[in-house]
Amino acid sequence: MEKVKKKIGSFSFWNWVTASIIFRLILIYFPKNLNLSSRPEVSTPLTSFRRLAEGYWLKQSFMSPYAGSMYHGSPLLLSLLGPLTINSLVSVIADVVSAMLIRATGQNLRLAYLRSLESLDLVKQIEVSEFLFSGDIAALIYLCNPFTIVACVGLSTSPIENMAVILCLYGACSRLIPLAAFGWVIATHLSLYPAILIIPVIFLLGCGPDSPPRKLFLQRHQQKEVLNQSKLPPRFSWGPVIHFAFWAFLWSVYVLVLCGISLKQFGGLWEMFKSTYGFILTVEDLSPNIGVLWYFFAEVFEFFRNFFLIVFHVNILFMILPLAIRLRHRPCYLAFVYVAICSMLKSYPSVGDSALYLGLLGWFVNELADMQFSLFLFCGYVGVSLLSPVMHNLWIWRGTGNANFYFATAMVYACLQIVLVVEGVSAMLNHDRKLRNLITGKPQDAKS
Amino acid sequence: MAETKEKSLSDEKPKPRVRPIVRLGIFLISHSFLVSVVCCTAGVLALFLLPVLAKNTYISENALMPGSASPMLSNQHVSDGNRLVKDLTNPNSKSSETGIESHKIIAQYMLDLGAEVSFHKFHPQMNQFHPLHFFSSPVSGKIQENYSCSSYGINTVGIIRAPRGDGKEAIVLVTPYNALKSGFGEALSLGIAYSVFSLLTQVTWLAKDIIWLVADSQYGEYAAVAAWLREYQTPKFSSLSTPNAEMCPDVNNLFELKGHSISGSKFSNSFRRAGTMAAALVLKVRDQNEQFEDTISIYAEASNGQMPNLDLINVVNYLAVHRQGLRVNVEKLWPLLNSSWLKSLGEIFESLAKVAKSLYPKWKFGIPATEYVEGTATLASSLYYQALGVPTGPHGAFRDYQVDAITLEISPKFSLDKVWRNDILLRGGRLIEGVIRSVNNLLEKFHQSFFLYLLTSPSKFVSVGVYMIAFALLIAPLPMVAASLYVDANSSSNCSKGDSSTPSAITDTDEHGIAIRSWRWLNSAKLVFIVHLWGAIVSLLPYFISQIPDCSPTTSFMIWVLLSILSLLTLNSVLASPLACAKATQEKEWALVKSVTISSVFIGLGLMSVINFATAEIGALLMVPMCLLARPLKLDVRAGTLRSFCRLICNLVLGHIAFPPAAFFLLKGMLDGFGNANVGDFWMWVESLWAWNSATYLFIDLTWRAHAVVAHQSCMMFWNLDVLVLSL
């Protein structure tokens, strides 16, 4: 029965994957009509393909690709994607690869979860046969999400950045340490913010994928009064982490050397850091996007600018530590939360970032079954993603609205993301609490 | 076991102190029926109160300073204008077939004044609906059509360069003129424009260039102005994209000849431009005569319910009333003026205001009943034209380029009298002069006053802050009812789960294995999404149907209906037959479906209120009751009480009224009588809507979808009913 179900499931999975690819290919044929590549939601100064084409052109004519403050991405992308800027087949491929990696990671996570339930003897209480294939679901969410499709068709580099992040997580989950290090280095190199993913990756490598808190296992085995070491999750081991650090060092030296070679005539690495990371951190470009920083820094007095820059960036760093402590037993979930927080407080967010964390959310369908406000969040996302272009239209094309209209939707969007993160985290903690209750309540249950 | 369950429950929800706002929310949700009735009533009432709440207009931009300078237009200019009128109405000038002669005359007159003159050839271009162009800029992606050399129009454009300006800004004066069959009114409007133009060549205060566009209206006034604006705003740099008009030899020859015959260095064959447009005035004179006074009608509605800045209307109104003694008129919905129930409503409001005033003398919000009726009629027409989304005149073309523009239509009292003609030329000319002088003073573009407003009289308006209250009250019940339905559905399913043997396990499964408790709405969302998808397909179909040549409206409508049904069936079979699988679940899940539907309607209405308020308001009046009352018919039939029977009737009636074609026929029937209503008319109407890129079309589509969901819900129940009967 199980097998049949799985067969049907995988069959329709591939159906959906093909459908989404075909849909993308159809949309690619209408680039002019859709005009997506000029939408502020899709292409930010960092991810725009048009800017990349400009940088490529500058480089072809022996000028610095960063001249004129047009291009702010990596010089490696120029050499890789420069000749391919005409079509967005690259992003379609990147999307499919990411979806496959998400699927594999999700299957990994599901197996790990089942294993930990088994060792907790909770298999009967929580009907394992009802468990959804979270990998398939996550991959389908990622592929069929309108945000992903728009980011893919709209000629932006965010599919590639997302792929790097997913590659990193996949490598860490399946303990392919060089791959994880490569993904992490590339993701950091491309958009800086994934740097904080090093914490979940270390946890992943140190103690394996998501599982209920270690305390539970100890409790469980105390009840049984036999301390079966083999069933306990492994303690934190430093070996893979050091291995990871070594590989990360190697890959980053490699990437920096490559960048240095390609930018030798144009000011070298310092120029690159200034116009990529510096551009991200100092929020130089104040053109409207779906984030909240552009409006704020357009309003703030020049005198306070540096202060608020520090405040906003430290905001992300402040959240790292408490979350890492609370969710250290669930590193993948921690990664999801970090990605969501980054996409909220990023200096140039685009819908591609939300596509990433919404896809990752699919990994936890079984754990988050009791999440509250799901309908509200869904309607909120739908409403905001429709309202935001309308407000932009009202402001830019009709002239009857103003910047506040558009910024209001950006604020609502940020609030929705906050609600999503808060509810998600609390649902996950509730899930852990439920497992604990099941363990402590088990003897009574057996009696009755 | 029971203890465990309780414990786990209490652990899951550790009874926290409930915050007041949450408590308020819970209170509202639990009393959603009462709240929705109160809110809807209040919303409708507030809509009728809007004329009472209207404020007097005021000129918000200080730089305008209307009427601060005395008018300089003298009898000399008027006699100049008279000369042009005489020349144009002279039968000799009408002899030519293409009407080129009269354009020559006008160009010659302009040249004599020292203005730069050019002709603009254009081909009438149908507004093509393209589904993907709605949100893009008006300029991008215009489809180039095949031009034929036979049909083209000629706009004559005269430009005065401002002595004090830098050529960066301009004011546009438009006079539609049909050279082939021009009435006396059109000639007169040209005369007025000419007299103003001749004054403006002499004045020293001019800081913005003046463009006088004589729009060739033989293919419609709007088309001519839109073609000129398109050319003005999108310069063509490459020779490839020049329209084929240049290749028509006869046309070119004509112009060559003309260029020689009109000797002057300031005439040019190329397209002339001035700066960005600050404002535009379209001037018309109506041939019909007004009985009482010289009146001037203002038309302001542009496409999709956009309005020009209120200051422009204010300036015109102020100058016309206080300087030139003209009566200003805005469009009214005439049938409403005589309606007795409106009059009695006005009297009620008036008496209420009197009572209020007697209680506390500072409460002065009442207006007389007659004024109320007039205000309501104006408001209704304002709402109607904004909701229709079709511009009421050539000024609509300007709004697409963010230029504030209005149409002024002068309806004179007497006719064909020399003295009277001079008088109307003088007063009209002075009005235009005053408006141009005010706009000339502007330092920035219009931004001070309102863009979002409804007029209740030329000098009274309802601003966005006020009318949004009525709308918000009307749609406030939607999220509340959705939330209460959602909560009910969830809690009831939880209760039923409590009876089953496994505690806290996820048992709710259907054939797809979706076993997630708090995500159960996904099924209903899928259903709603599929119906919306169908709606989207149905709304895109006319684009393809219109490609079929030689189709009468009735047959196209029939094709549309057929294809719609076909697409529904295809969708049904392709996408895992949602209707069939929904049939089983809907029995118990109708509440969730309704909740999701209501949420989607709420999102749609909220969105529409930003795009086009009037459409959203009218749509909300129709859809909110329908959505709130919708309930499976079978349940009502089964209940068999009087109350459920009433609800059933309401359901059926509302469901049919809100069906767009039905609503259209009902309205048409009421206005024209049911005898001559025809299915094809609906097609024509829809065609006209999408030709103007009207958001109303999208909205009808939304209505359609919502209706489809509700209808589907009801019909499923019918089906079930049949099955039941059969099984019995």
Side-chain angles (χ1 to χ4, degrees):
Chain A
M1 187 65 206
E2 173 89 53
K3 262 182 191 170
V4 172
K5 213 173 187 179
K6 195 171 180 180
K7 213 182 222 171
I8 292 168
S10 69
F11 175 65
S12 70
F13 172 77
W14 290 112
N15 263 352
W16 277 107
V17 169
T18 1
S20 70
I21 293 171
I22 289 169
F23 188 58
R24 266 158 235 246
L25 292 179
I26 290 171
L27 284 187
I28 283 172
Y29 277 101
F30 300 104
K32 280 197 187 121
N33 291 340
L34 284 172
N35 226 348
L36 278 176
S37 53
S38 57
R39 306 270 343 154
E41 294 89 1
V42 178
S43 63
T44 63
L46 288 178
T47 62
S48 160
F49 246 48
R50 296 204 299 189
R51 285 173 183 252
L52 195 141
E54 174 92 8
Y56 181 66
W57 187 83
L58 283 173
K59 208 183 157 201
Q60 288 299 93
S61 44
F62 303 107
M63 282 186 269
S64 165
Y66 299 117
S69 184
M70 194 63 185
Y71 182 59
H72 299 284
S74 145
L76 297 182
L77 275 185
L78 279 184
S79 339
L80 280 177
L81 296 180
L84 302 169
T85 39
I86 317 114
N87 54 32
S88 50
L89 274 182
V90 184
S91 11
V92 176
I93 295 166
D95 267 358
V96 174
V97 170
S98 329
M100 290 307 116
L101 291 177
I102 287 180
R103 185 172 184 233
T105 318
Q107 278 163 353
N108 248 339
L109 285 176
R110 182 167 174 272
L111 285 181
Y113 184 49
L114 288 182
R115 218 180 302 130
S116 58
L117 282 188
E118 214 166 281
S119 66
L120 283 173
D121 291 338
L122 285 176
V123 183
K124 278 175 196 158
Q125 270 95 14
I126 297 175
E127 298 193 347
V128 179
S129 59
E130 298 291 344
F131 264 30
L132 296 166
F133 297 94
S134 50
D136 290 3
I137 289 178
L140 281 187
I141 290 178
Y142 185 75
L143 268 185
C144 301
N145 191 346
F147 287 170
T148 326
I149 294 173
V150 161
C152 170
V153 176
L155 293 170
S156 74
T157 57
S158 41
I160 292 157
E161 287 163 19
N162 290 351
M163 188 174 71
V165 171
I166 291 164
L167 201 67
C168 166
L169 291 177
Y170 168 75
C173 262
S174 43
R175 307 193 83 76
L176 301 168
I177 292 171
L179 192 66
F182 177 72
W184 182 73
V185 167
I186 291 294
T188 311
H189 174 64
L190 289 182
S191 60
L192 181 65
Y193 288 96
I196 60 169
L197 287 182
I198 193 167
I199 296 170
V201 168
I202 284 175
F203 280 128
L204 262 175
L205 292 173
C207 24
D210 294 23
S211 63
R214 191 178 160 79
K215 211 167 58 184
L216 279 188
F217 290 92
L218 291 176
Q219 244 173 356
R220 186 77 191 140
H221 292 279
Q222 272 163 10
Q223 275 175 8
K224 280 188 165 180
E225 287 159 9
V226 267
L227 208 65
N228 190 350
Q229 271 304 335
S230 69
K231 274 196 165 182
L232 270 181
R235 285 185 172 281
F236 194 84
S237 55
W238 283 101
V241 176
I242 291 165
H243 199 178
F244 174 79
F246 168 70
W247 273 104
F249 176 72
L250 214 64
W251 281 120
S252 41
V253 166
Y254 181 60
V255 165
L256 286 183
V257 165
L258 281 184
C259 290
I261 290 170
S262 70
L263 288 176
K264 207 166 55 194
Q265 308 99 309
F266 315 122
L269 284 181
W270 177 243
E271 181 69 23
M272 181 191 87
F273 282 128
K274 216 167 65 181
S275 49
T276 53
Y277 292 172
F279 182 74
I280 293 173
L281 291 177
T282 52
V283 200
E284 281 167 25
D285 191 316
L286 297 179
S287 54
N289 55 37
I290 52 173
V292 284
L293 295 197
W294 62 272
Y295 189 86
F296 189 81
F297 283 108
E299 300 277 318
V300 81
F301 287 121
E302 197 61 35
F303 182 70
F304 295 111
R305 195 181 156 92
N306 288 335
F307 171 69
F308 280 109
L309 278 177
I310 293 170
V311 167
F312 272 105
H313 291 303
V314 165
N315 221 342
I316 299 181
L317 297 181
F318 268 149
M319 287 190 219
I320 289 179
L321 196 63
L323 282 168
I325 292 171
R326 199 73 182 86
L327 290 170
R328 66 182 181 286
H329 55 282
R330 292 189 180 278
C332 279
Y333 196 70
L334 186 64
F336 154 73
V337 174
Y338 281 173
V339 170
I341 286 175
C342 279
S343 83
M344 186 166 58
L345 293 173
K346 235 179 172 180
S347 38
Y348 311 103
S350 71
V351 288
D353 302 310
S354 341
L356 176 62
Y357 70 74
L358 288 176
L360 298 192
L361 189 64
W363 282 343
F364 310 101
V365 274
N366 295 314
E367 287 92 335
L368 295 182
D370 288 326
M371 198 170 130
Q372 282 180 315
F373 300 127
S374 47
L375 178 61
F376 167 75
L377 279 172
F378 178 76
C379 291
Y381 267 91
V382 171
V384 166
S385 53
L386 292 175
L387 198 61
S388 165
V390 169
M391 290 298 194
H392 191 261
N393 182 275
L394 226 60
W395 172 28
I396 301 292
W397 293 116
R398 287 204 191 176
T400 48
N402 54 39
N404 300 330
F405 284 45
Y406 186 62
F407 180 64
T409 59
M411 284 221 293
V412 173
Y413 180 61
C415 290
L416 278 176
Q417 284 171 317
I418 292 172
V419 173
L420 178 74
V421 168
V422 168
E423 284 308 316
V425 170
S426 69
M428 189 52 101
L429 295 180
N430 275 336
H431 180 74
D432 282 345
R433 210 170 287 146
K434 197 175 84 183
L435 288 183
R436 199 187 68 215
N437 285 331
L438 281 176
I439 286 174
T440 50
K442 170 87 183 186
Q444 295 172 5
D445 203 0
K447 266 177 219 163
S448 72
Chain B
M1 189 196 126
E3 271 179 40
T4 323
K5 206 172 67 193
E6 272 179 26
K7 199 176 176 185
S8 71
L9 266 178
S10 63
D11 256 334
E12 270 174 28
K13 290 174 197 159
K15 275 288 171 197
R17 290 158 288 128
V18 180
R19 285 191 216 107
I21 187 154
V22 176
R23 212 180 298 162
L24 184 70
I26 291 171
F27 176 80
L28 284 181
I29 285 172
S30 56
H31 295 83
S32 64
F33 177 72
L34 190 71
V35 171
S36 53
V37 168
V38 169
C39 276
C40 278
T41 325
V44 176
L45 204 66
L47 185 64
F48 281 106
L49 266 178
L50 285 183
V52 182
L53 299 173
K55 280 185 286 188
N56 285 324
T57 53
Y58 54 94
I59 286 161
S60 180
E61 172 76 83
N62 287 328
L64 283 170
M65 296 189 291
S68 57
S70 52
M72 294 164 75
L73 195 87
S74 64
N75 281 322
Q76 172 61 36
H77 305 113
V78 169
S79 62
D80 281 353
N82 241 330
R83 204 150 45 84
L84 177 66
V85 174
K86 248 179 239 158
D87 274 3
L88 285 176
T89 46
N90 193 2
N92 291 341
S93 69
K94 287 191 174 181
S95 58
S96 117
E97 277 184 14
T98 49
I100 202 86
E101 285 305 315
S102 40
H103 280 284
K104 266 189 194 171
I105 293 171
I106 296 164
Q108 190 61 57
Y109 267 82
M110 284 178 183
L111 277 175
D112 290 347
L113 289 176
E116 294 175 16
V117 182
S118 66
F119 288 108
H120 168 237
K121 291 159 285 186
F122 69 96
H123 291 266
Q125 197 175 30
M126 254 313 284
N127 251 320
Q128 273 257 331
F129 172 77
H130 201 279
L132 297 173
H133 285 166
F134 185 67
F135 279 121
S136 51
S137 62
V139 188
S140 74
K142 281 286 175 197
I143 309 150
Q144 289 287 333
E145 282 179 14
N146 286 332
Y147 294 103
S148 61
C149 288
S150 56
S151 68
Y152 63 93
I154 305 157
N155 291 333
T156 314
V157 186
I159 299 174
I160 305 173
R161 302 290 171 185
R164 295 197 169 194
D166 49 4
K168 298 261 172 63
E169 286 179 303
I171 303 168
V172 186
L173 185 63
V174 182
T175 45
Y177 178 67
N178 188 352
L180 289 183
K181 50 172 192 341
S182 70
F184 184 67
E186 276 185 337
L188 202 59
S189 73
L190 282 176
I192 294 175
Y194 179 72
S195 57
V196 176
F197 205 65
S198 66
L199 166 76
L200 292 176
T201 47
Q202 297 158 8
V203 292
T204 51
W205 45 258
L206 207 60
K208 292 178 168 65
D209 297 347
I210 303 292
I211 307 174
W212 178 19
L213 170 68
V214 182
D216 190 351
S217 63
Q218 54 179 322
Y219 301 107
E221 295 162 1
Y222 184 92
V225 176
W228 178 75
L229 268 174
R230 201 157 43 231
E231 184 86 20
Y232 192 96
Q233 304 280 2
T234 51
K236 291 193 179 74
F237 294 113
S238 68
S239 56
L240 279 174
S241 60
T242 46
N244 296 346
E246 309 301 332
M247 292 166 198
C248 300
D250 52 332
V251 180
N252 268 349
N253 287 343
L254 237 170
F255 278 99
E256 288 298 314
L257 272 177
K258 259 179 84 55
H260 288 297
S261 72
I262 301 169
S263 56
S265 58
K266 292 207 163 181
F267 179 82
S268 78
N269 257 330
S270 62
F271 195 84
R272 292 267 186 164
R273 289 188 177 80
T276 57
M277 300 171 195
L281 291 173
V282 182
L283 183 69
K284 291 201 258 185
V285 177
R286 198 193 279 174
D287 284 328
Q288 275 175 309
N289 304 315
E290 197 73 16
Q291 278 107 358
F292 312 109
E293 273 177 279
D294 293 341
T295 54
I296 177 163
S297 312
I298 299 178
Y299 298 92
E301 287 87 0
S303 60
N304 279 330
Q306 300 180 77
M307 299 290 276
N309 198 298
L310 188 54
D311 265 347
L312 188 59
I313 295 178
N314 288 346
V315 168
V316 172
N317 182 41
Y318 179 85
L319 288 174
V321 173
H322 297 288
R323 290 289 180 273
Q324 305 307 326
L326 294 161
R327 204 166 70 95
V328 179
N329 193 11
V330 280
E331 193 79 344
K332 290 190 188 72
L333 217 55
W334 295 107
L336 278 182
L337 278 181
N338 303 323
S339 71
S340 54
W341 61 275
L342 212 57
K343 213 168 277 173
S344 53
L345 196 67
E347 275 156 13
I348 291 171
F349 282 138
E350 192 182 353
S351 53
L352 274 180
K354 264 182 199 154
V355 172
K357 197 175 177 183
S358 66
L359 287 176
Y360 185 62
K362 276 193 179 170
W363 282 345
K364 282 186 282 189
F365 54 80
I367 55 171
T370 49
E371 202 176 316
Y372 174 80
V373 173
E374 253 177 49
T376 316
T378 316
L379 184 76
S381 108
S382 196
L383 268 174
Y384 172 72
Y385 283 112
Q386 286 191 23
L388 207 56
V390 177
T392 46
H395 58 269
F398 286 94
R399 188 62 238 176
D400 291 342
Y401 299 92
Q402 291 197 25
V403 180
D404 295 294
I406 50 174
T407 296
L408 302 176
E409 194 179 53
I410 301 173
S411 324
K413 186 168 57 171
F414 308 112
S415 64
L416 288 174
D417 181 1
K418 183 83 194 294
V419 184
W420 158 81
R421 192 202 282 174
N422 279 344
D423 177 57
I424 204 75
L425 275 175
L426 188 67
R427 281 158 79 189
R430 282 185 168 170
L431 171 66
I432 303 291
E433 183 210 340
V435 176
I436 286 181
R437 190 154 191 180
S438 282
V439 176
N440 184 53
N441 289 339
L442 270 185
L443 299 177
E444 314 166 60
K445 59 183 278 197
F446 280 108
H447 69 282
Q448 278 279 352
S449 196
F450 294 88
F451 282 103
L452 308 168
Y453 57 89
L454 296 166
L455 287 175
T456 61
S457 83
S459 59
K460 280 194 161 190
F461 76 107
V462 187
S463 83
V464 57
V466 178
Y467 67 62
M468 266 298 178
I469 295 175
F471 180 70
L473 278 174
L474 199 58
I475 65 166
L478 291 180
M480 252 176 267
V481 170
S484 85
L485 278 172
Y486 179 69
V487 168
D488 282 353
N490 265 359
S491 63
S492 71
S493 75
N494 279 352
C495 283
S496 67
K497 220 169 285 160
D499 300 335
S500 64
S501 57
T502 44
S504 76
I506 303 147
T507 52
D508 179 41
T509 52
D510 52 36
E511 54 258 75
H512 289 285
I514 290 185
I516 307 168
R517 195 192 307 152
S518 78
W519 298 84
R520 260 186 337 135
W521 53 267
L522 272 177
N523 244 343
S524 345
K526 195 177 99 186
L527 178 72
V528 174
F529 172 73
I530 285 168
V531 176
H532 277 246
L533 192 67
W534 177 59
I537 290 172
V538 167
S539 63
L540 287 186
L541 280 177
Y543 173 64
F544 299 105
I545 295 174
S546 67
Q547 308 286 326
I548 305 170
D550 303 331
C551 229
S552 78
T554 315
T555 44
S556 338
F557 185 73
M558 286 306 161
I559 294 174
W560 193 18
V561 170
L562 276 178
L563 280 180
S564 313
I565 294 168
L566 208 69
S567 63
L568 178 67
L569 294 178
T570 328
L571 264 182
N572 194 10
S573 59
V574 168
L575 286 170
S577 63
L579 304 186
C581 85
K583 199 182 115 188
T585 51
Q586 216 178 24
E587 188 72 39
K588 55 189 182 216
E589 298 236 321
W590 70 268
L592 270 182
V593 174
K594 184 176 170 184
S595 156
V596 175
T597 313
I598 289 179
S599 319
S600 69
V601 167
F602 176 67
I603 291 173
L605 283 176
L607 214 63
M608 204 61 214
S609 73
V610 179
I611 297 174
N612 186 350
F613 169 78
T615 317
E617 175 75 48
I618 293 171
L621 284 176
L622 276 176
M623 272 159 67
V624 168
M626 180 181 82
C627 287
L628 291 182
L629 281 173
R631 200 157 185 273
L633 297 177
K634 189 178 148 198
L635 290 186
D636 276 342
V637 170
R638 204 190 276 158
T641 58
L642 186 66
R643 190 179 152 201
S644 64
F645 186 68
C646 291
R647 194 162 49 197
L648 190 140
I649 298 295
C650 283
N651 243 331
L652 285 176
V653 170
L654 276 172
H656 282 106
I657 286 177
F659 189 55
F664 175 75
F665 288 127
L666 215 63
L667 264 180
K668 198 166 168 57
M670 278 203 291
L671 292 180
D672 303 349
F674 285 94
N676 40 14
N678 182 14
V679 251
D681 290 344
F682 183 66
W683 174 262
M684 304 267 268
W685 187 64
V686 166
E687 206 166 33
S688 74
L689 274 187
W690 57 249
W692 293 102
N693 249 342
S694 172
T696 311
Y697 180 65
L698 295 186
F699 190 70
I700 285 170
D701 166 46
L702 176 83
T703 327
W704 177 293
R705 298 178 203 175
H707 182 268
V709 174
V710 174
H712 163 77
Q713 208 176 335
S714 311
C715 290
M716 284 318 300
M717 297 306 131
F718 261 136
W719 195 6
N720 287 357
L721 198 71
D722 290 352
V723 172
L724 261 180
V725 168
L726 278 179
S727 66
L728 277 173

